[in-house]
Structure formats: structure tokens, C-alpha cells
Amino acid sequence: METYDALPQRVRRIRSNKRQQDASQKISVGEVSPPTSQGKKRGAEERGGEDELVNSQTNEKLQFHPTSTASSNYEYLDHTADIQLHSWGGTLEEAFEGCALAMFNYMTPLSGVSVDETLTRSYTVQAHDMQSLVFAFLDELLFVFSTELLVCREIKVSTIDRSSWTVTAVGQGECFSPATHEQGTEVKAITYSAMQIHERNDRSEIFVIVDI
């Protein structure tokens, strides 16, 4: 596992390489069926401790961090070598928020992250369709974390503009410090692999595989 100290020097290379790789993997929304419940993470409350999941192909135990609160709208699903983030909400904005928090929580448990109001940060990203918008949003959050070590404990997506494919959001949290925060698993990059976005009248869901 690589430490966060090494990230700023190589984050540009990672982002460039992954974009080239993911361009050939991109698929249409809804083309892949949602994962079965077999791979879903069970809460720490049910397991009586740190969550574990067994890879059905390798029998390897995969380690996950518990969600930050009982009301978190995200979970982690098993995937061969990486990890799949699954978020949901009553609106697509809430699903975007949950997906972002899931990514941060995987890198360091958000239960140990405070909100420093002096570190409030605005995010505005633009893309060309909904899948690339999800990718660009998470990629920007990851880039800011990699360069500034800002971990967002709270994220509010204010608008998703489908005419310009733009998302605007505000994040609050604090800078990661090995002295005060538990170090989880590094998220190296966002991918398009098996990405899914489902919108219904009262529920939206996002599935994103991230490279770890």
C-alpha cells in the first residue's frame, strides 16, 4: 500500500493513463445488470466488528471500512481486484454525494474526520454525458485530495445541469494527517468499467469501480 505522501508527485500521470485506458472500456448506462446481493458489504453492526468480504474467485478476505453513520447512503461491493462503490438517494444529487463520500470513507473512515469550516471548498466540473460527469466529479475530488489532502466529511451537490453537463458542489472536512486519521486503502483512479447510473421516480443509484 502506498502512502499519501507519494501521491502529489504522480497524480497527474495516474489521471492521464487511466483516462486513456478507460476510454476503451466505457459502456452505455444500464448495459450491465446491477451486482447481486451476494457481493454486498454487511454492516459492522451485523458482523460484530470490522467488515470482511471473501472474493469468490480467490477466497481472499477483502477488508473494508465501516460506513461513517447508520444513515450513510453507500456501500462497497466485491470486485475481482478493485472495489465497486454503490450509492443511492431520492435524487441523483444525493447519489452523487453518496458516491463521493464512499470514496473518501474508503481512504480514511469518515467517522474520524471533523469539519473545519475554514476548509470549505467549491467544486465545478464539466463533461459531455452523465457517465463522464460522474467520472469527472469523482476524479476532481480525488485530485484535490491527492494534491491538498482535503478529506470531505460532508458534500452537498447543488446542481446537475444536463444541458451543459455540469455539476457544482461544496465540500467540507479537514486535511488528512497520519497522526490523527486512520489510513485506509488508496484509491488510485476512477474507472468507467461497468459504470451504471439508474434514475427512477423516487430513487437514483450509481455504481462505480475504482482502482485501488
Side-chain angles (χ1 to χ4, degrees):
M1 184 186 302
E2 298 174 273
T3 62
Y4 296 123
D5 293 338
L7 295 181
Q9 288 76 19
R10 65 186 187 81
V11 65
R12 290 289 187 182
R13 174 174 57 80
I14 290 173
R15 286 156 60 95
S16 176
N17 291 344
K18 287 304 294 182
R19 284 196 178 105
Q20 293 176 9
Q21 296 170 10
D22 295 331
S24 62
Q25 297 177 339
K26 190 176 177 185
I27 59 174
S28 301
V29 177
E31 185 174 323
V32 177
S33 301
T36 64
S37 59
Q38 198 170 27
K40 292 188 176 182
K41 179 177 76 72
R42 288 182 288 177
E45 299 85 358
E46 299 174 358
R47 298 294 300 272
E50 189 80 5
D51 291 326
E52 287 184 339
L53 189 66
V54 176
N55 188 314
S56 59
Q57 297 180 357
T58 65
N59 291 324
E60 177 186 1
K61 287 186 177 181
L62 302 177
Q63 190 70 46
F64 296 105
H65 294 293
T67 54
S68 54
T69 66
S71 59
S72 295
N73 60 327
Y74 57 81
E75 64 182 354
Y76 304 105
L77 304 180
D78 189 17
H79 190 265
T80 306
D82 298 317
I83 191 69
Q84 186 171 44
L85 312 179
H86 174 212
S87 65
W88 58 87
T91 64
L92 187 59
E93 287 82 358
E94 291 178 356
F96 265 68
E97 294 165 0
C99 201
L101 294 178
M103 180 181 70
F104 282 118
N105 185 65
Y106 200 72
M107 294 188 289
T108 182
L110 293 181
S111 57
V113 177
S114 301
V115 172
D116 182 349
E117 295 185 359
T118 64
L119 294 179
T120 299
R121 201 182 197 287
S122 298
Y123 300 89
T124 301
V125 296
Q126 191 171 18
H128 59 272
D129 60 17
M130 189 58 73
Q131 279 197 335
S132 60
L133 192 59
V134 170
F135 181 98
F137 178 58
L138 295 177
D139 190 52
E140 180 65 16
L141 294 172
L142 182 59
F143 177 69
V144 172
F145 168 75
S146 300
T147 55
E148 303 175 16
L149 297 183
L150 177 60
V151 179
C152 290
R153 175 68 175 82
E154 299 175 357
I155 293 180
K156 178 63 178 178
V157 174
S158 55
T159 58
I160 296 177
D161 189 333
R162 298 169 189 264
S163 61
S164 61
W165 295 114
T166 302
V167 58
T168 57
V170 174
Q172 287 186 315
E174 62 181 345
C175 289
F176 178 85
S177 170
T180 56
H181 300 109
E182 179 183 345
Q183 182 166 307
T185 302
E186 174 195 357
V187 172
K188 296 178 180 178
I190 315 303
T191 80
Y192 280 111
S193 178
M195 182 184 290
Q196 299 171 60
I197 304 166
H198 302 278
E199 294 185 75
R200 303 178 182 85
N201 291 334
D202 57 351
R203 182 179 173 89
S204 294
E205 296 181 79
I206 298 175
F207 297 84
V208 179
I209 293 174
V210 295
D211 183 17
I212 58 174

